[in-house]
Amino acid sequence: MRRLIVIVTAAILFSSSLTLAQTKKPKPLDEFPPNPLEITTPDPLLPRSSKDKQPLIQEQQNLEPALDALNQEAAAKLQAGDQVAAFEIWNRELRLRRFLGSLAEVQALSRVGAIAWKQNNGQEVQYITLRLQAIQKQAQSQKTTAPIDLELWRSLGQAYQNVRSPKLAVEAYDQVLLVVRQQKDTTALVETLKIIGEVHLSWFDYVKAAPIYEELLSLATSQGVRVNEVTYLRQLAEIYEQTNQPQQSLNVLNKLVEISVSENNLTEIPQLKLAIASNYESLAKKAPNLLLEAFKNYQEAYTTAWQLKEYVRAGEALQKLIALYHSQGQTDEALQASQILVETETQATNFYGLMQAYDQIGQLYLERKEFPQALTAFQKGLELAQQLKYQEAYFAGQIQKVSKANL
């Protein structure tokens, strides 16, 4: 009976509280603070004639130094550690800059936006981005009635870069791109494409960067500008590697080899051949016959590097070649290449690499159960490990393992 009374009482209390809640209106959520760049309160620096229209030229000329002074005052506040006061002053400056025209305002927004990003002031970055978008929307609406202002759109692109909005930056530069294509201004076209490509790469958007650099390469090739051609080929090689496109990568790498040979610049060959061989290895997973090309290019990378006395690069090529031989079950060839690696690392005075080479030889002999040869290799590895004071326990363990197996 007592339990029943408790349940009934609880139900009455719940019903009463529900009724009370229903009669009360919910409190409105706190509104997002207004964008300080959109405040319309009259400012003492603004000429009275400018309330409803743009200031006269003379008034603008008088306003500009006052705004420059505000910028300096804000910078001093920031330097003194008062970030809140600094951005309050900058926001006032930015509100007034719009009376000097869209370009002047965008350039100021770009400057302050870069500072806001550096100071990790996310809210200020958002305010500036919203204002930039408003200016962009206005400029977009005026395209049909007035010639496009290239300097304004370029400044918008730079401003978006400063507040780390790559998508919006590219949208702005695309407007520039459209006009310079129509004008057939090749110089401006190349410069704009380079900026767009750099924006994509700075955000690791290799997929979108690829067609930009392909066009740049095409332009450089048609103009016969070899330096630029090489630059874009290298960039594309990196892009294709990052996007796992071995065939496209091979095309540009082979072109780079061709250019290097024609200019007798052999120092680039070993690294290029290594990259070519690696791409053939990737393609060989679906087309095994291409493994021969991988072997061939690793060998050429080693040979050229040795001729150039670039022993570190030669060692790198041999390591790749040994791994490929081993993966194909060609132990004899792997051992022969390992012996050459010992000589190469000795020439390079790379004692760590030499120690690793002896370890590799030991492991290969161990696989063939040729224990005396394996023991000799591990002992030489231990001697180097003791000199380097590194991996001594590992080589001691390998020697113990081989000694037991040889009993």
Side-chain angles (χ1 to χ4, degrees), residues 37 138 146 245 280 347:
L37 303 183
Q138 182 182 12
Q245 299 183 73
Y280 274 123
Q347 289 290 336

Side-chain angles (χ1 to χ4, degrees), residues 50-177:
S50 305
K51 287 185 178 180
D52 302 315
K53 59 183 180 180
Q54 282 292 105
L56 300 174
I57 294 176
Q58 184 59 51
E59 291 172 335
Q60 289 180 337
Q61 290 174 345
N62 293 337
L63 181 60
E64 194 166 358
L67 298 185
D68 291 341
L70 285 178
N71 175 38
Q72 292 174 4
E73 183 184 351
K77 289 284 186 184
L78 185 63
Q79 183 70 26
D82 192 347
Q83 184 179 141
V84 173
F87 281 105
E88 284 178 357
I89 297 168
W90 267 318
N91 286 335
R92 182 188 176 198
E93 179 213 343
L94 293 174
R95 287 195 298 271
L96 292 169
R97 284 283 178 188
R98 73 172 64 185
F99 292 99
L100 301 181
S102 295
L103 179 60
E105 183 185 1
V106 168
Q107 289 172 341
L109 288 164
S110 181
R111 165 173 46 83
V112 179
I115 297 168
W117 178 265
K118 188 176 180 180
Q119 295 297 318
N120 199 28
N121 190 331
Q123 191 172 58
E124 185 69 22
V125 168
Q126 185 179 24
Y127 291 147
I128 289 172
T129 304
L130 288 170
R131 180 59 194 155
L132 288 169
Q133 288 179 287
I135 296 169
Q136 179 179 341
K137 185 177 180 181
Q138 182 182 12
Q140 192 79 31
S141 67
Q142 294 172 347
K143 280 192 346 178
T144 55
T145 58
I148 186 170
D149 186 340
L150 285 178
E151 191 174 1
L152 174 62
W153 282 98
R154 287 188 179 107
S155 296
L156 277 167
Q158 182 59 60
Y160 282 133
Q161 283 183 264
N162 285 351
V163 294
R164 306 308 193 272
S165 293
K167 184 179 178 181
L168 293 171
V170 171
E171 285 180 11
Y173 288 122
D174 277 343
Q175 294 298 318
V176 178
L177 204 58

Side-chain angles (χ1 to χ4, degrees), residues 150 154 161 166 169-182 184-202 205-206 208-223 228 231-232 235-236 239:
L150 285 178
R154 287 188 179 107
Q161 283 183 264
V170 171
E171 285 180 11
Y173 288 122
D174 277 343
Q175 294 298 318
V176 178
L177 204 58
L178 187 64
V179 174
V180 296
R181 284 191 196 282
Q182 291 171 348
K184 297 183 179 179
D185 186 342
T186 306
T187 301
L189 175 61
V190 169
E191 287 305 311
T192 308
L193 285 169
K194 283 168 65 177
I195 292 170
I196 294 173
E198 287 164 6
V199 171
H200 288 316
L201 288 182
S202 67
D205 195 340
Y206 296 104
K208 289 181 180 176
I212 300 298
Y213 282 97
E214 284 164 359
E215 183 173 357
L216 282 167
L217 174 61
S218 177
L219 287 167
T221 303
S222 64
Q223 294 169 350
N228 290 343
T231 298
Y232 303 139
Q235 197 62 73
L236 281 168
I239 289 168

